[in-house]
Amino acid sequence: MKYREFNKNEEKVSLLGLGCMRFPKVTPDKEEIDIPRACEIIDYAYNNGVNYFDTAFPYHGGQSELVIGEALKKYPRDSFKLATKLPMWKLQKKEDVLDTFNEQLKKCQVDYFDFYLCHAMNRERMDWLEKYEVMPALCRLKEEGKIRHLGFSFHDTPDVLEELLNRYQWDFVQIQLNYLDWELQDAKRQYELIAGKGLQAVIMEPVRGGMLASLCEEADQVFKDAEPEHSVASWALRFAMSLPRVLTVLSGMSNMDQVIDNVHTASEFEPLTDEQRGVIDAALEKFKKNKTIPCTGCRYCMDCPAGVNIPKIFKIYNDYAISKNKNGFKRAYEELPESERADRCVECGACMSQCPQSLKVPERMKEIAAMAAEMN
Ligand code: SF4
Ligand code: SF4
């Protein structure tokens, strides 16, 4: 495993971190974690040098913190870094900050968090930092040693990021960065702002919810022709790892094949050359010809009050956009219970405020419903 130093203070963080929002599940459409299989992944990662584990209050309906705490408690506390996040949207009064934090310590069976983040910050939530006196409470916890490093995860525009960086003293920032979002979601500018402040970035969604593990046949072929021995996903991890101000790259691994491949990528990592970057550009060009919806499958938008299975519908649509297989689309769409289909959307907009990708969900649902009706 390769490591990066955090803040030059000789704290070593593994270049690959384990994201704890995509553990194997008992059934695909429910949040419940398949605990034995999840523990196998956690143990393999730990025993192969991964020392950064990133969970959050809402992951797997609240079960992620419990599972990672239970799985890691057999290891010495100073041999791993545990990161979790304050669910900003749950705050209703200032006391909630401390109450939530103490509940998280309990759930994770630890007495401090190495990295603690304000979760999914955006313009609206920036005001809540003041409204609920979040920063004084978190700074006190830092003084008490219950938080080692304080940061935030971020989903908004670079302007908002800049404001947030200037307004408070942070130790690190977590952003979504991958070679598709480098331009698409201005990840390049976000990375530069963080680096400009002398901070390090923790990277989430390097493989964009699995999308960059298999793009489309033509794009995958470009990678395979260049380096047959490497997986398509490894290009995405290496892209993020090649940036010098990146501290660790989180990957939410759902099976043993993924963890073995990712550990291998991080262990033999060398920064990408210009020639290798050219390979990524060539593959991306082929991929961009497919008009996919950039949904990462994070499920923050669920549950939809009208019952629409938003991530599933986008996945079915994206499979079609890549394969152009109308029968495949029809079959997958018809397998969805009628109560979960796109035409059930009542355009309430509740999902949009939760979506880190700022997807115009109701608009897309209308289009997909029309497309499905046309194919009938
Ligand atoms: S806009 Fe549509 S998909 Fe989104 S939460 Fe409302 S009903 Fe559900
Ligand atoms: S629509 Fe947005 S919030 Fe919902 S799963 Fe996709 S990316 Fe996540």
Side-chain angles (χ1 to χ4, degrees):
M1 179 57 53
K2 297 265 166 90
Y3 295 86
R4 291 250 159 100
E5 262 180 30
F6 180 60
N7 276 349
K8 299 196 182 121
N9 65 359
E10 295 179 0
E11 220 177 315
K12 294 221 184 292
V13 172
S14 55
L15 197 44
L16 176 70
L18 180 63
C20 302
M21 73 182 286
R22 290 201 169 87
F23 282 137
K25 298 193 277 189
V26 176
T27 48
D29 281 344
K30 298 273 181 297
E31 297 287 350
E32 194 189 341
I33 298 172
D34 181 333
I35 295 174
R37 286 175 59 221
C39 287
E40 210 187 329
I41 288 172
I42 297 163
D43 289 336
Y44 182 90
Y46 179 89
N47 289 317
N48 285 277
V50 171
N51 70 359
Y52 193 103
F53 298 84
D54 172 81
T55 183
F57 192 90
Y59 291 174
H60 286 283
Q63 203 192 359
S64 173
E65 288 182 329
L66 291 168
V67 168
I68 194 69
E70 185 63 26
L72 290 177
K73 76 173 185 193
K74 59 182 174 288
Y75 300 119
R77 180 64 187 89
D78 60 358
S79 67
F80 61 86
K81 318 276 178 209
L82 186 57
T84 195
K85 312 183 187 80
L86 180 70
M88 297 294 297
W89 58 93
K90 277 180 68 72
L91 302 179
Q92 294 192 332
K93 52 184 183 322
K94 65 177 191 178
E95 290 76 18
D96 290 346
V97 177
L98 200 55
D99 289 350
T100 308
F101 182 85
N102 285 330
E103 185 185 339
Q104 290 175 293
L105 283 181
K106 215 164 151 192
K107 281 174 77 184
C108 293
Q109 304 185 52
V110 292
D111 48 20
Y112 67 92
F113 290 115
D114 303 270
F115 292 80
Y116 195 72
L117 305 89
C118 296
H119 198 170
M121 289 300 297
N122 56 22
R123 167 144 330 265
E124 188 188 14
R125 290 171 188 171
M126 194 150 62
D127 296 333
W128 301 351
L129 290 178
E130 279 184 27
K131 187 172 174 193
Y132 300 113
E133 299 176 26
V134 174
M135 294 307 279
L138 297 184
C139 288
R140 263 195 310 277
L141 288 165
K142 209 175 146 186
E143 278 162 26
E144 291 166 14
K146 292 180 179 171
I147 291 174
R148 297 283 160 93
H149 310 296
L150 183 57
F152 62 93
S153 64
F154 184 76
H155 294 283
D156 209 325
T157 60
D159 288 354
V160 178
L161 176 63
E162 194 166 20
E163 212 176 315
L164 201 45
L165 286 170
N166 288 336
R167 219 188 262 192
Y168 302 99
Q169 190 75 39
W170 304 98
D171 299 319
F172 69 103
V173 185
Q174 182 165 319
I175 53 166
Q176 173 170 327
L177 184 152
N178 53 63
Y179 60 72
L180 186 60
D181 290 323
W182 190 242
E183 307 278 342
L184 194 71
Q185 294 224 9
D186 253 339
K188 178 173 187 278
R189 179 80 188 116
Q190 295 190 17
Y191 170 77
E192 286 168 352
L193 285 168
I194 294 164
K197 279 274 170 196
L199 298 176
Q200 285 164 287
V202 171
I203 302 305
M204 57 184 159
E205 301 290 5
V207 192
R208 223 182 194 287
M211 187 183 265
L212 305 184
S214 173
L215 295 101
C216 63
E217 218 174 298
E218 302 95 308
D220 290 355
Q221 199 55 49
V222 173
F223 288 128
K224 284 287 157 205
D225 288 346
E227 290 178 9
E229 72 283 14
H230 284 126
S231 66
V232 175
S234 85
W235 288 87
L237 290 184
R238 286 182 284 156
F239 177 86
M241 289 171 178
S242 295
L243 298 162
R245 296 303 296 173
V246 163
L247 177 65
T248 183
V249 176
L250 304 174
S251 176
M253 302 168 231
S254 308
N255 61 53
M256 283 304 288
D257 288 347
Q258 287 170 1
V259 66
I260 291 168
D261 185 45
N262 289 348
V263 163
H264 176 71
T265 299
S267 303
E268 61 157 29
F269 168 74
E270 293 295 338
L272 292 176
T273 62
D274 287 348
E275 200 184 324
Q276 287 169 317
R277 283 174 189 277
V279 172
I280 292 181
D281 290 344
L284 208 44
E285 200 152 303
K286 299 222 180 272
F287 179 65
K288 279 182 179 164
K289 289 192 182 132
N290 304 303
K291 299 236 176 308
T292 53
I293 298 170
C295 167
T296 61
C298 67
R299 298 181 69 85
Y300 284 4
C301 54
M302 295 294 275
D303 287 333
C304 153
V308 180
N309 193 334
I310 304 167
K312 185 77 188 259
I313 290 170
F314 284 163
K315 164 109 183 38
I316 293 171
Y317 175 83
N318 282 344
D319 288 347
Y320 165 70
I322 290 167
S323 68
K324 312 282 184 291
N325 179 346
K326 283 190 179 182
N327 286 336
F329 173 84
K330 260 187 88 179
R331 205 176 321 113
Y333 194 75
E334 279 164 12
E335 272 170 17
L336 262 185
E338 280 184 23
S339 60
E340 295 181 14
R341 293 184 192 171
D343 59 357
R344 291 300 168 111
C345 172
V346 295
E347 300 179 46
C348 70
C351 50
M352 294 212 313
S353 58
Q354 298 302 321
C355 178
Q357 312 306 323
S358 309
L359 295 180
K360 295 192 170 94
V361 180
E363 259 176 46
R364 305 316 298 257
M365 287 302 157
K366 243 186 178 171
E367 289 163 17
I368 295 170
M371 194 178 107
E374 226 172 77
M375 281 188 198
N376 248 325

Short mmCIF file of all heavy atoms in Angstrom, two decimals, residues 115-139:
data_model
loop_
_atom_site.label_atom_id
_atom_site.label_comp_id
_atom_site.label_asym_id
_atom_site.label_seq_id
_atom_site.Cartn_x
_atom_site.Cartn_y
_atom_site.Cartn_z
N PHE A 115 -11.15 11.90 11.63
CA PHE A 115 -11.60 12.91 10.67
C PHE A 115 -13.11 13.06 10.85
O PHE A 115 -13.84 12.07 10.83
CB PHE A 115 -11.28 12.46 9.23
CG PHE A 115 -9.80 12.44 8.94
CD1 PHE A 115 -9.00 11.38 9.35
CD2 PHE A 115 -9.20 13.49 8.26
CE1 PHE A 115 -7.64 11.37 9.10
CE2 PHE A 115 -7.84 13.49 7.99
CZ PHE A 115 -7.05 12.42 8.42
N TYR A 116 -13.56 14.29 11.07
CA TYR A 116 -15.00 14.53 11.24
C TYR A 116 -15.41 15.63 10.27
O TYR A 116 -14.73 16.65 10.14
CB TYR A 116 -15.30 14.94 12.69
CG TYR A 116 -16.78 14.83 13.01
CD1 TYR A 116 -17.39 13.60 13.16
CD2 TYR A 116 -17.56 15.98 13.15
CE1 TYR A 116 -18.75 13.50 13.44
CE2 TYR A 116 -18.92 15.89 13.44
CZ TYR A 116 -19.50 14.63 13.58
OH TYR A 116 -20.84 14.53 13.86
N LEU A 117 -16.52 15.37 9.57
CA LEU A 117 -16.90 16.28 8.50
C LEU A 117 -18.35 16.78 8.64
O LEU A 117 -19.22 16.01 9.07
CB LEU A 117 -16.82 15.57 7.13
CG LEU A 117 -15.51 14.92 6.72
CD1 LEU A 117 -15.45 13.48 7.19
CD2 LEU A 117 -15.35 14.96 5.21
N CYS A 118 -18.57 18.01 8.26
CA CYS A 118 -19.94 18.49 8.07
C CYS A 118 -20.37 17.91 6.72
O CYS A 118 -19.70 18.11 5.71
CB CYS A 118 -19.99 20.02 8.03
SG CYS A 118 -19.47 20.73 9.59
N HIS A 119 -21.46 17.17 6.74
CA HIS A 119 -21.81 16.33 5.59
C HIS A 119 -22.52 17.12 4.48
O HIS A 119 -23.46 17.85 4.73
CB HIS A 119 -22.72 15.19 6.07
CG HIS A 119 -22.81 14.05 5.12
ND1 HIS A 119 -23.39 12.86 5.45
CD2 HIS A 119 -22.38 13.89 3.84
CE1 HIS A 119 -23.32 12.03 4.43
NE2 HIS A 119 -22.72 12.64 3.44
N ALA A 120 -22.03 16.89 3.24
CA ALA A 120 -22.71 17.39 2.03
C ALA A 120 -23.01 18.88 2.10
O ALA A 120 -24.16 19.32 1.97
CB ALA A 120 -23.98 16.58 1.76
N MET A 121 -21.97 19.67 2.33
CA MET A 121 -22.16 21.11 2.44
C MET A 121 -22.51 21.73 1.09
O MET A 121 -21.98 21.34 0.06
CB MET A 121 -20.89 21.77 3.00
CG MET A 121 -20.63 21.46 4.46
SD MET A 121 -21.95 22.03 5.55
CE MET A 121 -21.86 23.79 5.28
N ASN A 122 -23.41 22.72 1.16
CA ASN A 122 -23.75 23.51 -0.02
C ASN A 122 -24.15 24.90 0.49
O ASN A 122 -24.02 25.19 1.68
CB ASN A 122 -24.88 22.85 -0.82
CG ASN A 122 -26.12 22.60 0.03
OD1 ASN A 122 -26.33 23.24 1.05
ND2 ASN A 122 -26.95 21.67 -0.40
N ARG A 123 -24.63 25.75 -0.43
CA ARG A 123 -24.91 27.14 -0.03
C ARG A 123 -25.91 27.22 1.13
O ARG A 123 -25.70 27.91 2.11
CB ARG A 123 -25.41 27.95 -1.23
CG ARG A 123 -26.00 29.25 -0.81
CD ARG A 123 -25.81 30.46 -1.67
NE ARG A 123 -24.65 30.63 -2.48
CZ ARG A 123 -23.58 31.32 -2.11
NH1 ARG A 123 -23.50 31.84 -0.90
NH2 ARG A 123 -22.58 31.49 -2.94
N GLU A 124 -26.99 26.46 1.00
CA GLU A 124 -28.05 26.50 2.02
C GLU A 124 -27.50 26.07 3.39
O GLU A 124 -27.72 26.71 4.40
CB GLU A 124 -29.18 25.57 1.58
CG GLU A 124 -30.40 25.69 2.44
CD GLU A 124 -31.43 24.62 2.11
OE1 GLU A 124 -31.11 23.65 1.39
OE2 GLU A 124 -32.57 24.76 2.60
N ARG A 125 -26.71 24.98 3.38
CA ARG A 125 -26.22 24.43 4.65
C ARG A 125 -25.15 25.31 5.29
O ARG A 125 -24.88 25.20 6.48
CB ARG A 125 -25.72 23.00 4.43
CG ARG A 125 -26.89 22.08 4.15
CD ARG A 125 -26.54 20.70 3.71
NE ARG A 125 -27.77 20.01 3.31
CZ ARG A 125 -27.83 18.84 2.71
NH1 ARG A 125 -26.73 18.20 2.41
NH2 ARG A 125 -28.99 18.30 2.39
N MET A 126 -24.53 26.16 4.46
CA MET A 126 -23.50 27.05 5.00
C MET A 126 -24.12 27.96 6.08
O MET A 126 -23.51 28.22 7.11
CB MET A 126 -22.93 27.89 3.86
CG MET A 126 -21.67 28.58 4.19
SD MET A 126 -20.61 28.81 2.76
CE MET A 126 -21.60 29.81 1.70
N ASP A 127 -25.34 28.42 5.82
CA ASP A 127 -26.02 29.28 6.81
C ASP A 127 -26.36 28.51 8.08
O ASP A 127 -26.42 29.07 9.16
CB ASP A 127 -27.28 29.89 6.22
CG ASP A 127 -26.94 30.81 5.06
OD1 ASP A 127 -25.82 31.35 5.07
OD2 ASP A 127 -27.77 30.96 4.15
N TRP A 128 -26.61 27.22 7.94
CA TRP A 128 -26.96 26.42 9.11
C TRP A 128 -25.77 26.29 10.08
O TRP A 128 -25.96 26.04 11.27
CB TRP A 128 -27.42 25.02 8.70
CG TRP A 128 -28.62 25.03 7.81
CD1 TRP A 128 -29.40 26.11 7.48
CD2 TRP A 128 -29.18 23.91 7.11
NE1 TRP A 128 -30.40 25.73 6.62
CE2 TRP A 128 -30.29 24.39 6.37
CE3 TRP A 128 -28.85 22.56 7.02
CZ2 TRP A 128 -31.06 23.57 5.57
CZ3 TRP A 128 -29.62 21.74 6.23
CH2 TRP A 128 -30.72 22.24 5.51
N LEU A 129 -24.55 26.44 9.55
CA LEU A 129 -23.37 26.37 10.43
C LEU A 129 -23.49 27.43 11.53
O LEU A 129 -23.15 27.19 12.68
CB LEU A 129 -22.08 26.59 9.64
CG LEU A 129 -21.64 25.49 8.68
CD1 LEU A 129 -20.38 25.89 7.94
CD2 LEU A 129 -21.40 24.17 9.42
N GLU A 130 -23.99 28.61 11.11
CA GLU A 130 -24.15 29.68 12.10
C GLU A 130 -25.42 29.50 12.91
O GLU A 130 -25.41 29.62 14.14
CB GLU A 130 -24.16 31.03 11.40
CG GLU A 130 -22.74 31.45 11.12
CD GLU A 130 -22.63 32.83 10.51
OE1 GLU A 130 -23.50 33.67 10.74
OE2 GLU A 130 -21.64 33.03 9.79
N LYS A 131 -26.50 29.20 12.20
CA LYS A 131 -27.81 29.08 12.86
C LYS A 131 -27.76 28.10 14.04
O LYS A 131 -28.34 28.36 15.09
CB LYS A 131 -28.82 28.62 11.82
CG LYS A 131 -30.25 28.60 12.29
CD LYS A 131 -31.19 28.33 11.13
CE LYS A 131 -32.60 28.18 11.65
NZ LYS A 131 -33.48 27.62 10.63
N TYR A 132 -27.07 26.99 13.85
CA TYR A 132 -27.05 25.97 14.91
C TYR A 132 -25.72 25.95 15.69
O TYR A 132 -25.42 24.99 16.39
CB TYR A 132 -27.33 24.58 14.30
CG TYR A 132 -28.70 24.54 13.63
CD1 TYR A 132 -28.81 24.40 12.26
CD2 TYR A 132 -29.86 24.69 14.39
CE1 TYR A 132 -30.06 24.39 11.63
CE2 TYR A 132 -31.11 24.69 13.77
CZ TYR A 132 -31.19 24.54 12.40
OH TYR A 132 -32.42 24.54 11.79
N GLU A 133 -24.93 27.01 15.49
CA GLU A 133 -23.65 27.15 16.20
C GLU A 133 -22.80 25.88 16.09
O GLU A 133 -22.29 25.35 17.09
CB GLU A 133 -23.90 27.54 17.66
CG GLU A 133 -24.63 28.88 17.78
CD GLU A 133 -24.99 29.25 19.21
OE1 GLU A 133 -24.30 28.79 20.14
OE2 GLU A 133 -25.95 30.01 19.38
N VAL A 134 -22.69 25.40 14.87
CA VAL A 134 -22.00 24.14 14.63
C VAL A 134 -20.50 24.26 14.90
O VAL A 134 -19.91 23.42 15.60
CB VAL A 134 -22.24 23.66 13.17
CG1 VAL A 134 -21.40 22.42 12.86
CG2 VAL A 134 -23.72 23.38 12.95
N MET A 135 -19.88 25.31 14.36
CA MET A 135 -18.43 25.38 14.44
C MET A 135 -17.91 25.52 15.88
O MET A 135 -16.96 24.83 16.25
CB MET A 135 -17.88 26.50 13.54
CG MET A 135 -18.11 26.23 12.07
SD MET A 135 -17.50 24.61 11.53
CE MET A 135 -15.78 24.95 11.33
N PRO A 136 -18.51 26.37 16.73
CA PRO A 136 -18.02 26.42 18.11
C PRO A 136 -18.10 25.06 18.79
O PRO A 136 -17.19 24.64 19.51
CB PRO A 136 -18.96 27.43 18.80
CG PRO A 136 -19.52 28.26 17.69
CD PRO A 136 -19.55 27.39 16.47
N ALA A 137 -19.19 24.32 18.53
CA ALA A 137 -19.35 23.00 19.17
C ALA A 137 -18.27 22.03 18.66
O ALA A 137 -17.64 21.31 19.46
CB ALA A 137 -20.74 22.45 18.87
N LEU A 138 -18.04 22.04 17.35
CA LEU A 138 -17.05 21.10 16.80
C LEU A 138 -15.62 21.50 17.21
O LEU A 138 -14.78 20.63 17.46
CB LEU A 138 -17.17 21.01 15.27
CG LEU A 138 -18.51 20.46 14.75
CD1 LEU A 138 -18.48 20.33 13.22
CD2 LEU A 138 -18.87 19.11 15.37
N CYS A 139 -15.38 22.79 17.31
CA CYS A 139 -14.03 23.23 17.74
C CYS A 139 -13.78 22.83 19.20
O CYS A 139 -12.66 22.45 19.56
CB CYS A 139 -13.87 24.74 17.56
SG CYS A 139 -13.72 25.17 15.82
#
